[in-house]
Amino acid sequence: MSAAVKELQVVNARVITPSGTIEQGYVHIKGDRIAAIGSVSELAGQPAGLERFDAEGAWLIPGFVDVHVHGGANHDFMDANVEGIREITKFHASNGTTSMLATTLTASREDLTAVIALAADYMSKPMPYAKIVGVHLEGPFVNVKWKGAQNPAYILPPQPEWLEDWVGRFPGVIKLQTLAPEVEGSLDYIEKLAANGIVPSCGHTDATYDQIIAAADRGLRHAVHTFNAMTPLHHRHPGTVGAVLTDDRITAEVIADGHHVHPAGIKLVTRAKGVHNVILVTDAMAAAGMPDGDYDLGGLPVHMKCGVARLKENDSLAGSTLTMIGAVRFLVREIGVSLEDASRMASANPARQLGLADSIGTLEVGKQADFLLLNDELELQSTWIDGKKLLF
């Protein structure tokens, strides 16, 4: 005989839903799913004895979905070990991320395959913290001119046979791949990605405006860390940035930490793309959550000072130490975006982009009970995954 499904009501919260904010709301959880959402006034007359958690007026918002994160807590997904994944997912869950893509760096075929294989195995078992929902391959098919913190030793043109092998061995695991659309063979490769249900993304690219538009015609739908490691906007040569800002087919990531993009640049991308086509990401590396000092990113030496990580060789930004709750706070406090819109950019939009909107990204009946409680200062009070409050 199976055990009864546990039920819980989180009450007295300001609940952000797709149709608006319920000022005095509740969320009813059955097992790992949302069974009902509404106003606490609707609870009058319900049977006594049901377990309730009093949110005491806190904001209740969907858990964050980070589609671009390399690591944290002194671990990197390129380490390809279970302990590393657990520590990364624990750290980011403690900062509001409930689902994430294990993001690689430019590396050898063998190392990339090892990360994909480990992620596939990890996803097949119970996950105690933030869930790995797939892999984001950042590279290795990028442009060395805009390599940023990608290791140039492993940059090469698209290799269709690698993709065929990965898709055949690990179906559904790769969710997104970043490449330079101007590199020979990229347009055909973009079509192959799209045909296999993988979101094609531009980044670390020297592409012109016309080349990005041509790539979008073939299936390009995403831009990593907009403004960073791509041809800039000029009024006569719009470049990659101009195409990303003006083509509605392309969803734009932004690293909202005040270092990667000036606040005016973030205002520009949010106004140009609208709240439905911007995705907040961390691009966090192993140094996230760690003290200043020396670290490694894809075999490249990195030094972090005052929380900002840079390559030792040329002082280029090397990923970030940002968290998703930090990105949301920055958007609200520094850019003037409402919490409702910031929540959409951190949760609903990435879930939609990954094809996971039926299960995560918003608070709706039938979806996973992945949510956060925030106080008025937007400090994270608790993270809930599958209807369970995580303890850290």
Side-chain angles (χ1 to χ4, degrees):
M1 185 174 180
S2 60
V5 174
K6 184 177 179 180
E7 294 191 46
L8 170 71
Q9 287 177 345
V10 180
V11 300
N12 299 322
R14 287 170 285 177
V15 184
I16 293 181
T17 76
S19 56
T21 298
I22 305 171
E23 290 296 332
Q24 290 185 303
Y26 78 93
V27 174
H28 187 141
I29 301 158
K30 277 190 179 181
D32 61 354
R33 299 280 162 171
I34 296 173
I37 298 176
S39 171
V40 291
S41 62
E42 301 167 5
L43 298 177
Q46 287 201 0
L50 183 65
E51 184 179 353
R52 287 182 176 172
F53 181 94
D54 192 341
E56 300 179 337
W59 289 99
L60 197 160
I61 70 173
F64 303 138
V65 181
D66 193 352
V67 305
H68 190 166
V69 50
H70 297 281
N74 210 24
H75 293 273
D76 191 298
F77 284 116
M78 294 303 301
D79 298 338
N81 62 66
V82 172
E83 178 189 359
I85 292 183
R86 285 181 179 155
E87 290 302 313
I88 293 168
T89 56
K90 180 180 180 180
F91 169 73
H92 286 288
S94 72
N95 287 281
T97 299
T98 54
S99 297
M100 63 201 306
L101 293 186
T103 305
T104 66
L105 292 157
T106 290
S108 68
R109 179 180 183 178
E110 293 73 21
D111 286 347
L112 294 175
T113 302
V115 175
I116 300 168
L118 181 66
D121 182 65
Y122 192 83
M123 291 164 62
S124 70
K125 300 170 183 176
M127 293 178 272
Y129 301 110
K131 294 180 181 178
I132 301 297
V133 293
V135 169
H136 171 182
L137 296 174
E138 187 179 11
F141 314 136
V142 295
N143 194 315
V144 69
K145 181 178 177 180
W146 294 89
K147 65 182 186 298
Q150 301 291 328
N151 193 330
Y154 298 104
I155 292 175
L156 73 170
Q159 305 293 309
E161 65 275 14
W162 295 15
L163 180 63
E164 292 170 8
D165 175 57
W166 289 331
V167 170
R169 293 167 60 188
F170 313 108
V173 173
I174 302 172
K175 298 293 186 186
L176 192 152
Q177 184 166 15
T178 296
L179 73 164
E182 74 280 7
V183 173
E184 184 177 358
S186 289
L187 295 182
D188 288 342
Y189 191 87
I190 286 169
E191 282 195 347
K192 289 182 182 295
L193 288 173
N196 282 285
I198 301 168
V199 178
S201 172
C202 64
H204 297 278
T205 171
D206 197 44
T208 64
Y209 172 90
D210 290 338
Q211 287 172 323
I212 294 295
I213 298 303
D217 290 341
R218 302 286 286 273
L220 184 77
R221 292 295 179 265
H222 193 89
V224 300
H225 42 53
T226 303
F227 295 109
N228 299 113
M230 59 179 59
T231 49
L233 175 67
H234 183 278
H235 60 285
R236 285 190 294 272
H237 306 286
T240 297
V241 171
V244 171
L245 293 181
T246 58
D247 193 313
D248 291 339
R249 295 172 293 180
I250 302 172
T251 298
E253 288 183 5
V254 65
I255 305 172
D257 63 356
H259 303 295
H260 283 77
V261 184
H262 189 281
I266 298 176
K267 287 182 181 179
L268 176 61
V269 72
T270 56
R271 292 178 184 181
K273 301 301 294 181
V275 298
H276 295 281
N277 283 318
V278 176
I279 289 177
L280 292 181
V281 297
T282 63
D283 196 12
M285 61 165 291
M290 301 298 294
D292 286 350
D294 294 332
Y295 296 90
D296 176 274
L297 183 63
L300 302 177
V302 173
H303 182 72
M304 182 172 70
K305 182 179 180 181
C306 299
V308 180
R310 295 183 180 274
L311 292 180
K312 287 187 176 182
E313 66 173 359
N314 59 17
D315 209 36
S316 294
L317 287 167
S320 86
T321 60
L322 184 65
T323 61
M324 287 296 283
I325 186 61
V328 166
R329 276 200 296 264
F330 189 90
L331 215 63
V332 173
R333 293 175 179 175
E334 305 299 328
I335 310 302
V337 171
S338 69
L339 179 58
E340 289 85 351
D341 285 346
S343 170
R344 180 180 295 279
M345 297 178 203
S347 303
N349 293 351
R352 183 197 69 230
Q353 184 76 321
L354 299 180
L356 300 175
D358 287 344
S359 58
I360 60 174
T362 56
L363 300 178
E364 296 179 85
V365 172
K367 292 192 176 185
Q368 290 174 199
D370 297 349
F371 58 88
L372 315 171
L373 291 178
L374 312 180
N375 64 18
D376 285 338
E377 288 70 43
L378 304 186
E379 296 168 337
L380 183 63
Q381 295 184 307
S382 57
T383 301
W384 301 64
I385 298 179
D386 289 338
K388 301 180 180 68
K389 181 183 177 182
L390 298 192
L391 302 176
F392 301 103

